[in-house]
Amino acid sequence: MHKVTLIPGDGIGPEISSAVRRIIDASGAPIEWEVEQAGEAQMERCGTPLPQSAIDSIRRTGVALKGPITTPVGTGFRSVNVALRKELDLYVNLRPAKNYPNVKSRYENVDIVLVRENTEDLYAGVEHMVGKDAAESIKIFTREGCRRILRYAFEYAVNNKRRKVTAVHKANIMKCTDGMFLEEARAMAQQYPNIEFEDRIVDALCMKLVQTPEMFDVLVLPNLYGDIVSDLCAGLVGGLGVAPGANLGEHEAVFEAIHGSVPHRAGTNTANPMALLLSGVMMLRHLKEEQAAQRVEDALVAVIREGTHLPQDLGGKTGTQEFADAIIEKLR
Ligand code: NAD
């Protein structure tokens, strides 16, 4: 039996989490859920959006499935997601983007896995005002931070039978930070002679991604470029509603969809649980429950291929829970 922490989140989080939990339970995977709350409601109740009990639970179980959490803009608490990544040193953000049948996209045959560094770079948010009319943000790269994400990307390629790793940077301009990342990428590539390696400048990569996405396989990027390019990749395969993700550290793994809490759909049973479900499939694979993972993915693909039960963002009228029911029906 695997113990897994389940954080339903807020907005559409509770609805999509309960749909995904029902599907995973129906797959027969031996999972015992520890439900922990985080987000705005917890802020009011406990004075923090990320209660210690949630962190302790993830430390205990080592694995969490997490719904989206609303982050107030400008004021209020900092992102729970960023806090979790920092607290648990979840230095890998893994975001696959591949085409599924009946999920509208301009492209076919996209199968990209984006590996984003998750703890350093401008995204660490080390910034301050310089007087009243200027602001400074500090971009921090460490050699070990570069090495561990690059090592993860190459190991991922080997373990998942991928052929190529592309390191993405802007080393022509940022010679110290991105330059260090590129230097380490080239050195790491030497250790993996069976994996093809290339590097690309981030702006040129974006153009190539929208022209010929099928030429890319595993992408490895520093934090901020990874943040932006991963949404671009989600757009290549049908948008945020279908894009899963994982945050991985040495000891803990937190699986969550890329999308946010879609506040205007909260409580309407109209959200698409597919991205969180695919994150759940990644979680099952992480738990070495390959058979259950494949069954869930096949059942999901069967339902969307049939096209009679599609959630609103995929052009259908099926509610969140009814979409889950249709998938569960395929698992029987
Ligand atoms: P969002 O992802 O919540 O919504 C953007 C648009 O994408 C929505 O209007 C909707 O049309 C569509 N969409 C996304 N997921 C969908 C789904 N599952 N089903 C149907 N439609 C879907 O992005 P936002 O509006 O920028 O953010 C809303 C809140 O979520 C903010 O507070 C933000 O900080 C937070 N957020 C949280 C996470 C997280 O918890 N990991 C990630 C991103 C944003």
Side-chain angles (χ1 to χ4, degrees):
M1 186 65 83
H2 308 284
K3 285 202 167 177
V4 170
T5 306
L6 179 66
I7 301 178
D10 52 36
I12 61 169
E15 292 160 73
I16 58 174
S17 304
S18 91
V20 168
R21 177 181 177 164
R22 289 197 297 117
I23 296 166
I24 291 180
D25 286 345
S27 76
I31 287 182
E32 195 183 312
W33 305 94
E34 272 189 29
V35 179
E36 290 287 336
Q37 303 298 337
E40 228 163 357
Q42 287 312 105
M43 182 74 200
E44 280 157 29
R45 212 167 298 144
C46 323
T48 166
L50 179 61
Q52 189 59 37
S53 68
I55 297 170
D56 292 345
S57 170
I58 302 173
R59 285 224 163 91
R60 210 165 38 240
T61 60
V63 181
L65 184 64
K66 180 185 152 298
I69 291 172
T70 309
T71 308
V73 178
T75 55
F77 61 82
R78 277 193 67 209
S79 160
V80 167
N81 310 304
V82 175
L84 252 185
R85 286 171 204 171
K86 279 219 158 131
E87 182 74 29
L88 301 173
D89 194 23
L90 304 172
Y91 68 94
V92 180
N93 188 210
L94 190 62
R95 296 184 171 189
K98 80 173 179 185
N99 287 119
Y100 281 95
N102 252 338
V103 176
K104 250 206 212 128
S105 140
R106 289 168 180 267
Y107 304 92
E108 284 168 10
N109 305 323
V110 178
D111 186 3
I112 294 170
V113 175
L114 185 141
V115 178
R116 165 187 170 192
E117 203 287 323
N118 223 3
T119 60
E120 301 193 329
D121 201 350
L122 287 170
Y123 215 90
V126 183
E127 54 175 21
H128 53 254
M129 295 302 296
V130 181
K132 260 198 353 256
D133 300 321
E136 183 174 50
S137 187
I138 299 170
K139 173 160 163 156
I140 299 166
F141 278 39
T142 64
R143 205 168 285 285
E144 185 44 35
C146 295
R147 277 184 191 151
R148 67 178 181 172
I149 196 67
L150 289 159
R151 195 177 303 116
Y152 181 88
F154 278 95
E155 284 294 317
Y156 182 92
V158 170
N159 294 330
N160 293 277
K161 303 192 173 40
R162 295 277 176 164
R163 76 195 148 79
K164 180 166 90 171
V165 170
T166 304
V168 184
H169 60 87
K170 187 88 186 169
N172 50 331
I173 303 297
M174 267 152 287
K175 295 184 193 295
C176 291
T177 47
D178 290 30
M180 185 198 288
F181 181 79
L182 178 57
E183 185 186 319
E184 291 301 327
R186 287 180 172 151
M188 195 63 70
Q190 301 275 319
Q191 296 177 31
Y192 295 86
N194 296 328
I195 303 289
E196 196 188 321
F197 171 73
E198 63 172 9
D199 73 271
R200 284 186 185 260
I201 294 176
V202 62
D203 40 350
L205 171 90
C206 289
M207 187 195 70
K208 275 286 170 207
L209 271 173
V210 296
Q211 282 183 328
T212 47
E214 62 284 350
M215 71 185 280
F216 295 103
D217 190 353
V218 176
L219 303 178
V220 58
L221 308 90
N223 205 342
L224 186 61
Y225 307 145
D227 181 53
I228 297 163
V229 175
S230 61
D231 276 25
L232 190 162
C233 288
L236 296 176
V237 296
L240 288 177
V242 301
N247 295 296
L248 311 169
E250 290 300 332
H251 306 291
E252 290 90 8
V254 177
F255 296 83
E256 63 176 340
I258 292 181
H259 64 70
S261 56
V262 197
H264 67 273
R265 286 192 191 270
T268 63
N269 192 38
T270 60
N272 183 0
M274 182 169 162
L276 189 64
L277 182 59
L278 288 172
S279 309
V281 168
M282 290 172 78
M283 181 190 83
L284 290 172
R285 296 211 158 100
H286 173 85
L287 293 169
K288 308 264 183 288
E289 294 290 345
E290 176 57 37
Q291 214 184 341
Q294 199 57 51
R295 286 188 70 220
V296 171
E297 195 172 3
D298 290 348
L300 167 68
V301 168
V303 169
I304 53 180
R305 181 172 278 133
E306 274 174 16
T308 43
H309 294 93
L310 291 180
Q312 270 186 14
D313 69 327
L314 299 186
K317 292 194 170 74
T318 307
T320 311
Q321 300 308 327
E322 293 70 26
F323 182 59
D325 293 341
I327 297 169
I328 291 168
E329 195 54 42
K330 296 279 179 210
L331 285 168
R332 291 221 169 96

